[in-house]
Amino acid sequence: MPISETERKRLAQLFRQAKYELLPGELQSAAYPIRIGNQHPELDAFLSEGQSWIFITAYNPMGQPQSTAFNRVAQQKLLQQLQNDSKTVWRGRGYSPDPLQPWEEPAILTLPLYRREAIAIAREYQQLAIVYGEKHGATTLLFTD
């Protein structure tokens, strides 16, 4: 179901305010920040030309809060699917820096992918948007509708 332009703008602002990071030990010993608008040469090193990566969660499909049990099962299914597809996966998290509106969700950074495959995965798990990066490009927020 497509979202309105007003809702897209509201969500884009929220997604851009959020913080995204790989957990320590996944790429380096400290948390590795993923920033929308930045390049990430450390991730580019794992990609061939035309390939990309996504930072995705299976939590709260369509932005609708779900139970902890539902979200954990969905996240585990996503992780297993990516591993079965021989993708490299690193665990991460997305969270709000606003103490008045706190939230946190586990996430997965996966690579290599192509753009069409990235969107298909996000749609399969009913995610409104993903953090998306291509080799030598700036990381973007990619809506899935």
Side-chain angles (χ1 to χ4, degrees), residues 84-133:
N84 289 347
D85 289 345
S86 300
K87 302 298 182 194
T88 299
V89 294
W90 291 308
R91 294 177 195 262
R93 71 180 184 132
Y95 65 95
S96 170
D98 183 350
L100 299 177
Q101 297 180 342
W103 63 267
E104 182 175 338
E105 294 177 346
I108 300 167
L109 187 138
T110 188
L111 55 81
L113 301 154
Y114 291 97
R115 184 182 180 103
R116 184 176 305 178
E117 184 181 12
I119 292 170
I121 292 168
R123 286 179 178 161
E124 180 178 347
Y125 288 88
Q126 299 180 357
Q127 296 302 302
L128 296 171
I130 54 174
V131 177
Y132 174 82

Side-chain angles (χ1 to χ4, degrees), residues 40-92:
H40 296 283
E42 297 85 350
L43 299 175
D44 288 350
F46 294 93
L47 300 173
S48 297
E49 289 303 319
Q51 291 180 327
S52 60
W53 54 264
I54 58 173
F55 194 78
I56 186 172
T57 186
Y59 270 51
N60 303 317
M62 301 303 295
Q64 299 301 309
Q66 302 294 321
S67 70
T68 300
F70 177 94
N71 282 329
R72 285 184 179 158
V73 167
Q75 189 76 357
Q76 184 59 39
K77 180 182 172 194
L78 172 61
L79 178 62
Q80 191 64 53
Q81 176 184 341
L82 295 169
Q83 289 172 330
N84 289 347
D85 289 345
S86 300
K87 302 298 182 194
T88 299
V89 294
W90 291 308
R91 294 177 195 262

Side-chain angles (χ1 to χ4, degrees), residues 22-33:
L22 294 179
L23 298 178
E26 299 290 345
L27 186 61
Q28 59 187 34
S29 59
Y32 178 80

